[in-house]
Amino acid sequence: RNWFPPYAYGALGLISGYQLVDLEVAPDGQLLALDVVEQEGHEALTESTLTTFRAFAPYHPLPDHFPEPTLKLRVKVIYPRLR
């Protein structure tokens, strides 16, 4: 519902790639940081990935007993070759 891949990827299958993304989430679920660490492929894929992570914020709050001040994740988003 919040992910809209570029037309050249989803409809045409002309581009592919991946992004390695670091994100940090506050205890209340707010997105504190979003950074692309590594990427390969068309820039439109990177923009789609970043827009999607932002669109899903705020996330669910962290549990009261969460052991760290924030949740830090490194996520690899892969857009495989479709054709």
Side-chain angles (χ1 to χ4, degrees):
R1 77 177 194 231
N2 288 328
W3 179 63
F4 301 98
Y7 187 78
Y9 176 75
L12 302 176
L14 297 176
I15 58 178
S16 61
Y18 73 89
Q19 297 81 40
L20 196 58
V21 179
D22 283 349
L23 62 136
E24 184 175 8
V25 179
D28 66 356
Q30 293 298 314
L31 183 62
L32 297 176
L34 180 63
D35 299 300
V36 177
V37 177
E38 185 179 316
Q39 64 184 5
E40 180 179 298
H42 198 278
E43 182 64 30
L45 298 172
T46 302
E47 287 305 315
S48 177
T49 296
L50 294 176
T51 299
T52 300
F53 277 112
R54 289 183 188 113
F56 274 101
Y59 299 96
H60 289 288
L62 301 179
D64 291 336
H65 60 278
F66 194 75
E68 302 293 331
T70 61
L71 173 64
K72 294 180 181 180
L73 298 170
R74 178 164 282 180
V75 179
K76 188 170 189 176
V77 179
I78 302 171
Y79 294 87
R81 186 171 307 278
L82 296 178
R83 296 179 189 221

